[in-house]
Amino acid sequence: MKPKVAIFDFGCCEGCQLQLVNLEEALLDLVGLVDVRQWREAMSEHADDYEIALVEGSITRESEIPRLEAIRRQAKVLVALGACAHTGGINAMKNHMPMERALDIVYGDKAGWFDTIPARPLSAYVPVDAAVPGCPVDRQELVEVVKALLMGVAPVLPTYPVCVECKMAENICVFDLGLTCMGPVTRAGCRARCPSNGNRCLGCRGLVPEPNANAHKEVLAEHGRTVEDILAEYRMFVSSAEVAQ
């Protein structure tokens, strides 16, 4: 029998689920290997007897915690899909201000209609068996992770930084272009997509295991920057990095 899969979302833009749709022909092959039991974005059918749960989004409301716990109880394997689910993602930017202030900024005089809590990754509340990092996830890596799960093998993510992929691509270091970059401490696997296109790495894939923070500080110092100088620039993705580690 085909493994039964369900796809869920919490606080997110659903862009990582769109990457599933963007698999195009590969999606047909993937769907042929599994039995999709529910996927709100792509189908109206609904069944609760799934074995693998792909979950996108961070937890941003108290009411979401019981729902996540119920998904975890049902699923034999739970996968954090994308940066929001993996590290808290962009949603975690609000953690640097009082929650009342965040509600006021977003909802104005309707703030009282909504509730919010500091954004946290799935792993802050339930055990996570695997993750597909990134914002959005890399389609090729997503397929490889799903294949590994279907074969009963633990997916393996790169344990080296984006700088390695930059060197393999023979990129000019963006520090030498006058930009600052999180590449020295960010998990590789994106094929250095942003630096390869003239942009800096913002750290959307989370910190590499055991990041060489001292080396990063040295590179920053060589270019006249300090950690304190750039913290605000990188809160888009690393504000919950301490939870992810």
Side-chain angles (χ1 to χ4, degrees):
M1 296 178 64
K2 298 179 181 178
K4 298 176 181 178
V5 177
I7 302 170
F8 303 95
D9 49 77
F10 288 90
C12 63
C13 69
E14 301 187 11
C16 292
Q17 292 178 68
L18 287 177
Q19 287 291 73
L20 272 170
V21 178
N22 290 337
L23 289 172
E24 299 174 345
E25 290 87 353
L27 177 62
L28 297 177
D29 295 334
L30 198 60
V31 170
L33 297 174
V34 299
D35 179 4
V36 181
R37 305 301 285 169
Q38 58 174 295
W39 183 5
R40 182 189 57 78
E41 188 172 279
M43 57 189 288
S44 57
E45 293 81 3
H46 179 101
D48 293 320
D49 57 339
Y50 50 87
E51 300 162 330
I52 299 174
L54 305 180
V55 185
E56 182 184 9
S58 57
I59 302 304
T60 62
R61 295 181 296 172
E62 288 282 356
S63 59
E64 295 172 334
I65 299 173
R67 177 176 173 239
L68 174 62
E69 292 173 338
I71 293 171
R72 174 69 272 190
R73 285 194 297 271
Q74 173 61 37
K76 294 180 180 178
V77 176
L78 189 147
V79 181
L81 188 63
C84 291
H86 179 218
T87 65
I90 292 176
N91 293 330
M93 292 176 67
K94 71 176 180 178
N95 297 354
H96 297 283
M97 65 181 73
M99 292 299 101
E100 294 78 8
R101 175 61 176 155
L103 284 170
D104 181 63
I105 291 172
V106 176
Y107 300 111
D109 61 359
K110 304 299 189 296
W113 294 8
F114 305 92
D115 68 281
T116 191
I117 59 175
R120 293 286 184 263
L122 306 184
S123 60
Y125 298 100
V126 299
V128 171
D129 301 300
V132 187
C135 183
V137 295
D138 180 83
R139 284 178 288 174
Q140 180 178 326
E141 184 173 54
L142 174 60
V143 170
E144 293 304 315
V145 168
V146 173
K147 283 182 178 179
L149 292 172
L150 295 180
M151 292 187 293
V153 178
V156 178
L157 298 177
T159 57
Y160 48 86
V162 171
C163 287
V164 173
E165 293 181 325
C166 258
K167 292 176 181 177
M168 292 173 65
E170 300 183 352
N171 292 335
I172 297 175
C173 181
V174 297
F175 278 101
D176 293 332
L177 298 177
L179 302 175
T180 52
C181 183
M182 287 291 289
V185 292
T186 297
R187 186 190 296 272
C190 59
R191 299 182 297 283
R193 182 175 292 109
C194 294
S196 295
N197 287 281
N199 296 311
R200 55 186 178 165
C201 172
L202 293 174
C204 76
R205 290 178 58 82
L207 298 181
V208 68
E210 300 181 8
N212 191 338
N214 289 332
H216 196 197
K217 290 178 182 177
E218 291 175 4
V219 173
L220 290 170
E222 289 173 5
H223 292 83
R225 304 298 298 275
T226 67
V227 173
E228 290 72 21
D229 289 337
I230 68 168
L231 277 178
E233 298 177 47
Y234 295 103
R235 282 180 174 167
M236 181 178 293
F237 289 109
V238 300
S239 53
S240 280
E242 71 281 358
V243 178
Q245 295 301 305

